[in-house]
Amino acid sequence: MNAVLAEPILGYREAFEAARPSFGPAEAARAAAFERFAELGFPSARDEAWKYTNLRRLAARRYPARNPDSTAVVLDDALTPFRLIVVDGLLRPELGTQGSPPAGLTLRALEVARRDGEPLSALLRVPAGGGTERFAALNAALCPDVLVIDVAPGTSPEPIEIDVAATGSEAGMSHPRVLIRAARGSTARVILRHVGDDAAERFVNAVADVEVGADAVLHLYRLLSQGDRSFHIERIEATVGQRGTFVMHDAQLGAGLGRLDLNVRLAAPEAATELTGLFLADGSRHLDTHLHVDHLAVGTRSLQDYRGVAAGRGRAVFNGKAIVHPGAQKSQARQTSRNLLLTPGAEIDTKPELEIYADDVQCNHGATTGQLDPAALFYLRSRGLSEQEARSALTRAFTGAVVSRMDHATFAEVVRDALDARLVRLLEAQP
Amino acid sequence: MLSIRNLHAQIGARKILKGLNLEVRAGEVHAIMGPNGSGKSTLASVLAGRAGYEVTAGTVEYLGQDLLEMAPEERARAGVFLAFQYPVEIPGVNNTYLLKAALNAVRKHRGAAELDAFEFLAMVREKMKLMQMDESFLSRGVNEGFSGGEKKRNEILQMAVLEPKLAVLDETDSGLDIDALRVVANGVNSLRGPDRAIVLVTHYQRLLDYIAPDFVHVLSDGRILKSGDKSLALELERRGYDWVRQEAQVA
């Protein structure tokens, strides 16, 4: 192991030792997870999965084990009638909607689920592989709790929202974790909103484990709006059962450095997934998205469709991968990555990848990176729109194609408004 | 209204306009005809301010202002309208949004108040009727998936909504069947008026059967070789362009 890269582990080990007494029966599982993190260490510059994203600044930091001063959170209006609030990794029932969750949903804490007989290996699972395995392991070691959400078989509960807030007036880290399971034949919608302000530097290391049962449909809406001084690393690991569908709508608007690894296993025949999203890397923001879909059974279908905008000194990375494994005949894999550079200094690195080990499949992929169409800009200006209005209209049209597919009206509205506000500022700042 | 003197323009090193002169007064309709490659579309593009055209000599004065110094949107707000030969498809930018934003920009420039949503819609509906356009066009993306004829109608609709002082129609007749041509011509004719000038750039005489011009100019090799009245168009239709060029050489 590289000695230079081992050094940052020490700070986390201190944090782990400090938290150890609170782990109770989960101590062994958490210790194993921590050792996995220590073994993998921070990625080096030679690590292919971190080719365009440098974590040197994060590796140089030391954060206390628990955020010492969780502060009051100022939250935006709820997007659904039932909302849960997680602050620095801990569910705070008193801040969320009072009363029972929508019919069909069960919420439990880690210790409750364990006492109900669920294995810790599932509740604190460390997903194997990918550039963020190390951080998912760190999360399993340090998460203060797991929010376990179960959708009962055959039910269609009302959508819920989970706001995951990072707080504190001093630099700190948090390791929020959710486990969402949609049982056979159920349909559910969950909004996951990561929020944080600029009051201090934060490291948010989030994990969402998702299981979609046979004939079940889970829609996950993710909004990333962390402060500019944040490092946000997230691993979403989903497994989809027979004829089940996992739909992800992702809007990445805020974070100093954001990295999402979204891994989907289409594990049974006719399992399907649709991953659509957008990212806006303006200012000096760095947003990195890695999608990975494994087609493991016959008749599985996947769609990856992301759009990215970069401006200023912003930088974004999109890496979409679909692997059609041997035996996954009659599968379909489609990938699209469209990217827009608003200013010359911005950069987006995109790489759609298909690996196909079956012969009877339909696959295609495409990636584009460009600037606003000069012909369209001139057309709009020739009708009297200012250059700024024309650029704004065309940029909104570009992102709107993704937003219009976010089939939760309130969520889509919040994303659209946030995008508009940012674009106005962005374009006004330009000469 | 529009005074073009000795206009020279080029794209890269290719010289296209080579000393063009044209005077257009309010209330007049001018047709500029000429063979392919004569510089017709370059003239329209230079008037609208499209990038990529370098004016190397000459002046263009519009209502006493130096038109060439104005940004494309300033020209539009000051009442210059170009109907595009190839209208651009802009998926995701709503037709209504464009009409409204454009109209408000022009009205603001004129010192008029913005129309409220009700007034705006009533006005647009009336103009759409004139252009025989279905209201469903309003909710679609600008020119998105429109047929050639629908795009041209949409251009004239925009012109009808914006009520420009100087309209330049670049090959608006190309690609239109006879019914669409009638609708487009009808739309243009409805905008004729003492305060408005219209410049029709066209390859064929056909459009002029429906929109009678006051003046016809023959553009060839970047210059206007001959000017006349409506009868010149008919003569061009009958005899082609070669005789005008020969006549010019002799002169």
Side-chain angles (χ1 to χ4, degrees):
Chain A
M1 193 197 293
N2 189 320
V4 177
L5 296 172
E7 199 279 331
I9 305 304
L10 298 177
Y12 294 97
R13 191 175 289 282
E14 277 171 24
F16 179 73
E17 293 305 331
R20 192 188 276 269
S22 67
F23 290 148
E27 187 182 337
R30 286 174 177 277
F34 188 83
E35 292 314 320
R36 182 64 182 148
F37 164 67
E39 185 189 335
L40 292 168
F42 267 70
S44 77
R46 288 185 301 276
D47 191 328
E48 185 65 22
W50 294 91
K51 189 173 173 185
Y52 299 107
T53 300
N54 192 320
L55 293 183
R56 210 171 39 224
R57 274 179 54 236
L58 177 62
R61 301 294 198 274
R62 281 200 181 199
Y63 301 106
R66 284 278 171 83
N67 202 323
D69 63 343
S70 284
T71 49
V73 276
V74 182
L75 296 162
D76 288 326
D77 290 345
L79 305 174
T80 60
F82 188 84
R83 169 160 72 166
L84 297 169
I85 312 291
V86 173
V87 179
D88 300 323
L90 263 181
L91 181 68
R92 298 274 293 273
E94 77 280 10
L95 298 178
T97 310
Q98 301 303 301
S100 3
L105 284 183
T106 316
L107 310 174
R108 287 177 301 168
L110 170 66
E111 181 55 16
V112 176
R114 191 197 62 82
R115 271 192 257 125
D116 289 346
E118 304 224 13
L120 286 167
S121 58
L123 297 168
L124 289 171
R125 195 159 65 94
V126 177
T132 52
E133 178 182 348
R134 48 178 60 82
F135 294 108
L138 181 65
N139 175 290
L142 288 177
C143 63
D145 200 351
V146 183
L147 175 55
V148 182
I149 303 173
D150 280 287
V151 188
T155 60
S156 302
E158 290 297 312
I160 64 161
E161 172 185 357
I162 308 166
D163 283 9
V164 182
T167 73
S169 57
E170 311 228 337
M173 64 176 170
S174 61
H175 304 269
R177 188 177 187 102
V178 295
L179 168 58
I180 306 169
R181 292 182 292 207
R184 172 179 289 275
S186 65
T187 299
R189 293 172 195 276
V190 176
I191 296 172
L192 199 54
R193 180 148 64 153
H194 290 283
V195 294
D197 57 27
D198 289 324
E201 183 187 292
R202 317 184 192 292
F203 172 31
V204 178
N205 177 33
V207 168
D209 264 319
V210 174
E211 291 173 28
V212 182
D215 298 302
V217 182
L218 178 70
H219 297 258
L220 184 63
Y221 304 82
R222 174 182 184 259
L223 175 56
L224 180 66
S225 48
Q226 300 281 16
D228 289 348
R229 298 167 67 190
S230 66
F231 300 94
H232 181 104
I233 295 177
E234 185 163 358
R235 174 81 170 230
I236 300 178
E237 191 83 6
T239 302
V240 187
Q242 191 159 1
R243 292 180 304 274
T245 304
F246 173 57
V247 183
M248 172 92 176
H249 298 280
D250 182 19
Q252 304 178 18
L253 302 181
L257 183 153
R259 166 70 179 248
L260 169 69
D261 277 22
L262 170 53
N263 292 13
V264 183
R265 291 163 47 84
L266 301 173
E270 294 175 58
T273 190
E274 289 172 26
L275 312 174
T276 64
L278 60 91
F279 45 85
L280 174 57
D282 55 348
S284 52
R285 219 175 298 290
H286 182 113
L287 298 172
D288 181 347
T289 305
H290 275 58
L291 309 183
H292 181 118
V293 177
D294 284 301
H295 290 257
L296 296 159
V298 292
T300 48
R301 285 176 291 122
S302 71
L303 169 74
Q304 302 176 18
D305 188 354
Y306 263 67
R307 291 192 178 209
V309 178
R313 286 178 295 124
R315 185 153 186 196
V317 182
F318 178 81
N319 187 297
K321 190 182 249 187
I323 303 177
V324 182
H325 292 265
Q329 302 292 6
K330 311 278 183 202
S331 288
Q332 288 179 19
R334 303 188 193 290
Q335 293 177 307
T336 317
S337 163
R338 292 189 184 86
N339 301 288
L340 178 60
L341 299 173
L342 288 179
T343 46
E347 183 176 330
I348 300 180
D349 296 287
T350 179
K351 187 176 172 194
E353 289 180 86
L354 281 169
E355 289 180 24
I356 303 166
Y357 303 102
D359 50 21
D360 182 14
V361 297
Q362 289 178 40
C363 297
N364 59 50
H365 63 159
T368 57
T369 300
Q371 293 162 14
L372 293 172
D373 176 13
L377 273 176
F378 175 65
Y379 189 83
L380 296 177
R381 292 178 71 193
S382 78
R383 297 303 180 245
L385 277 68
S386 69
E387 181 164 9
Q388 183 189 316
E389 285 171 313
R391 291 174 66 88
S392 169
L394 292 177
T395 308
R396 276 186 281 128
F398 179 79
T399 55
V402 173
V403 179
S404 64
R405 283 163 59 185
M406 295 175 170
D407 57 354
H408 187 283
T410 327
F411 181 82
E413 194 181 305
V414 163
V415 171
R416 191 175 285 122
D417 288 352
L419 269 173
D420 282 357
R422 286 274 288 286
L423 289 174
V424 165
R425 260 185 292 159
L426 200 61
L427 295 164
E428 276 175 359
Q430 287 180 29
Chain B
M1 177 177 287
L2 180 72
S3 177
I4 304 175
R5 293 199 188 98
N6 191 34
L7 186 63
H8 287 68
Q10 58 191 54
I11 304 176
R14 197 156 62 92
K15 295 182 167 63
I16 298 177
L17 298 183
K18 301 169 183 174
L20 187 140
N21 294 292
L22 183 68
E23 288 290 330
V24 178
R25 285 175 292 273
E28 295 175 351
V29 174
H30 291 245
I32 297 183
M33 304 184 69
N36 287 330
S38 57
K40 302 191 299 293
S41 283
T42 295
L43 174 62
S45 292
V46 168
L47 292 179
R50 190 194 294 270
Y53 296 84
E54 191 193 348
V55 174
T56 51
T59 58
V60 179
E61 199 183 290
Y62 167 71
L63 293 175
Q65 288 176 279
D66 181 354
L67 189 71
L68 300 177
E69 281 299 305
M70 296 161 75
E73 59 268 34
E74 292 170 338
R75 301 181 195 202
R77 291 169 192 174
V80 177
F81 181 91
L82 170 67
F84 282 56
Q85 182 179 5
Y86 303 109
V88 184
E89 291 198 29
I90 313 181
V93 175
N94 185 274
N95 250 325
T96 308
Y97 164 81
L98 173 58
L99 284 171
K100 205 171 189 169
L103 180 64
N104 284 336
V106 169
R107 287 180 68 91
K108 196 174 161 194
H109 182 84
R110 291 179 194 153
E114 290 191 1
L115 289 185
D116 68 34
F118 184 78
E119 294 167 318
F120 170 76
L121 215 60
M123 187 269 279
V124 169
R125 282 198 176 122
E126 186 196 325
K127 312 272 185 188
M128 289 188 86
K129 223 176 280 171
L130 172 74
M131 295 313 296
Q132 299 185 14
M133 288 172 77
D134 191 89
E135 265 186 49
S136 65
F137 279 95
L138 286 175
S139 54
R140 288 165 66 178
V142 173
N143 294 318
E144 185 181 3
F146 287 21
S147 71
E150 287 167 345
K151 284 179 185 168
K152 297 298 177 78
R153 273 189 228 188
N154 199 31
E155 293 294 286
I156 307 304
L157 172 70
Q158 292 174 7
M159 175 176 150
V161 167
L162 296 179
E163 300 181 324
K165 295 191 179 81
L166 171 67
V168 180
L169 280 60
D170 187 9
E171 308 256 1
T172 296
D173 51 333
S174 68
L176 292 185
D177 64 30
I178 198 71
D179 291 329
L181 186 67
R182 265 198 206 107
V183 172
V184 163
N186 192 26
V188 175
N189 283 329
S190 74
L191 287 161
R192 287 184 84 151
D195 301 325
R196 185 168 293 131
I198 298 174
V199 176
L200 305 166
V201 171
T202 181
H203 188 74
Y204 299 106
Q205 188 270 338
R206 192 175 67 147
L207 179 68
L208 308 182
D209 288 342
Y210 299 93
I211 308 172
D214 301 303
F215 301 93
V216 173
H217 310 277
V218 179
L219 181 62
S220 178
D221 195 27
R223 279 183 303 165
I224 286 177
L225 296 186
K226 191 175 179 69
S227 298
D229 61 11
K230 191 177 178 324
S231 63
L232 177 58
L234 293 167
E235 196 171 357
L236 289 168
E237 182 79 353
R238 209 170 54 242
R239 299 176 59 190
Y241 289 106
D242 282 349
W243 65 275
V244 185
R245 278 189 281 225
Q246 281 156 13
E247 203 178 86
Q249 273 163 13
V250 173

